[in-house]
Amino acid sequence: MRKPIIAGNWKMNKTAAEAEALINELKPLVKKAKPEVVICVPYTDLWIAAKSVLGTNIKLGAENVAWADSGAFTGEISAAMLKEIGVEYVIIGHSERRQYFGETNESVNKRTKQALSNGLKPIVCVGETLEEREKNKTKKVLKKQVLEGFDGITDFSNIVIAYEPVWAIGTGKTATAEDANKTIGYIRSLIKKTYGAEVAKNLRIQYGGSMKPSNCKELMAMRNIDGGLIGGAALKAEDFAAIVNYKD
Ligand code: PEP
């Protein structure tokens, strides 16, 4: 059985003081959650967030990680820095990073390896753009992202994949539950073919893209969907908690 994982992606939102307030609001609302609960917050919020989640069921995540150990990489944050502060998960290859900051499958691969070798759990994002979808290239794009992004990686026990159709992120448009399930099923079959049935059976694959309280139940009921990566709705304690508690 794969334990569902609901992760918030705060993106570039919330100052440290705002982060502390949001976490304090969230704590009582998610304390009985059945899924694993993660909040991925901006670097400047990590310190206060690490203190705020101590002793709770909320796990801490970052939104990126450098591929090098240390050195001349101005503006980057290393896996060791994250680990020491109490970070457990890290989002890698989010479509916004691919779109605005030159993230490629190759850099995703390097960051993922670096996260794993430092004991961080990567949430690796894949997904097609609207143009790719309309040209029927979804499978081709996903195959390339998966095969290149995980090249050389054999142990998937600490990896989570987030399938996020780019056209559904922050747009209010959600893939239908059936569509999301089918595409995630394709990713799982790809993993099975490449890395074996056991890996595919145990690997958690989230859906991300305008997931909210009103549609989470339907999405989470799907056989292949093991959780959600939540953007906008993660910024409101009530909404995020409603998604986390989708089974109640
Ligand atoms: C995301 O940023 O990963 C995301 C899914 O955003 P939203 O929920 O706002 O579409």
Side-chain angles (χ1 to χ4, degrees):
M1 277 300 284
R2 300 183 296 265
K3 183 172 175 147
I5 172 168
I6 306 288
N9 171 18
W10 288 13
K11 312 193 187 200
M12 195 175 73
N13 293 293
K14 305 291 175 189
T15 65
E18 289 166 349
E20 187 180 26
L22 177 54
I23 295 167
N24 283 337
E25 217 186 316
L26 194 59
K27 280 194 281 198
L29 303 178
V30 300
K31 68 177 184 208
K32 291 194 179 131
K34 292 173 190 94
E36 200 171 346
V37 183
V38 183
I39 50 168
C40 300
V41 307
Y43 289 135
T44 49
D45 295 348
L46 285 172
W47 185 256
I48 194 81
K51 284 189 186 178
S52 305
V53 301
L54 259 189
T56 76
N57 60 331
I58 303 173
K59 295 176 177 172
L60 191 57
E63 298 178 15
N64 193 13
V65 63
W67 62 65
D69 286 334
S70 63
F73 296 96
T74 304
E76 289 287 287
I77 299 288
S78 78
M81 292 169 183
L82 298 177
K83 187 78 187 162
E84 190 183 271
I85 221 172
V87 169
E88 187 171 331
Y89 283 91
V90 59
I91 297 173
I92 297 175
H94 190 278
S95 64
E96 285 147 18
R97 296 219 55 88
R98 292 180 191 258
Q99 190 181 349
Y100 306 128
F101 301 102
E103 198 76 68
T104 62
N105 294 336
E106 193 191 347
S107 60
V108 166
N109 181 258
K110 283 159 75 175
R111 292 185 202 278
T112 302
K113 286 177 175 161
Q114 182 69 1
L116 289 172
S117 63
N118 283 274
L120 293 171
K121 299 173 181 170
I123 299 175
V124 179
C125 302
V126 297
E128 81 285 4
T129 62
L130 183 59
E131 195 190 348
E132 290 161 346
R133 182 180 175 85
E134 284 173 345
K135 287 186 176 158
N136 271 326
K137 286 187 176 163
T138 300
K139 284 189 180 173
K140 195 174 164 200
V141 167
L142 290 174
K143 187 172 182 181
K144 199 166 156 58
Q145 288 175 340
V146 168
L147 297 186
E148 292 180 5
F150 294 118
D151 185 41
I153 293 169
T154 49
D155 184 356
F156 281 75
S157 51
N158 284 324
I159 293 178
V160 175
I161 294 180
Y163 166 60
E164 301 205 303
V166 180
W167 48 271
I169 299 178
T171 59
K173 288 183 196 155
T174 326
T176 64
E178 287 77 16
D179 249 4
N181 188 53
K182 216 165 119 190
T183 310
I184 291 178
Y186 168 71
I187 296 171
R188 203 177 293 288
S189 70
L190 197 59
I191 295 284
K192 184 175 173 184
K193 205 167 146 199
T194 319
Y195 302 99
E198 200 57 23
V199 172
K201 195 179 85 186
N202 295 321
L203 179 65
R204 292 185 294 179
I205 309 181
Q206 300 171 308
Y207 168 77
S210 299
M211 199 164 174
K212 45 188 179 266
S214 60
N215 60 21
C216 64
K217 263 199 178 116
E218 200 190 348
L219 287 159
M220 290 301 297
M222 292 289 147
R223 196 165 60 92
N224 278 309
I225 302 181
D226 304 317
L229 186 56
I230 321 295
L235 298 173
K236 279 195 196 141
E238 267 172 39
D239 287 355
F240 189 62
I243 298 171
V244 162
N245 299 317
Y246 69 95
K247 269 205 164 143
D248 297 349

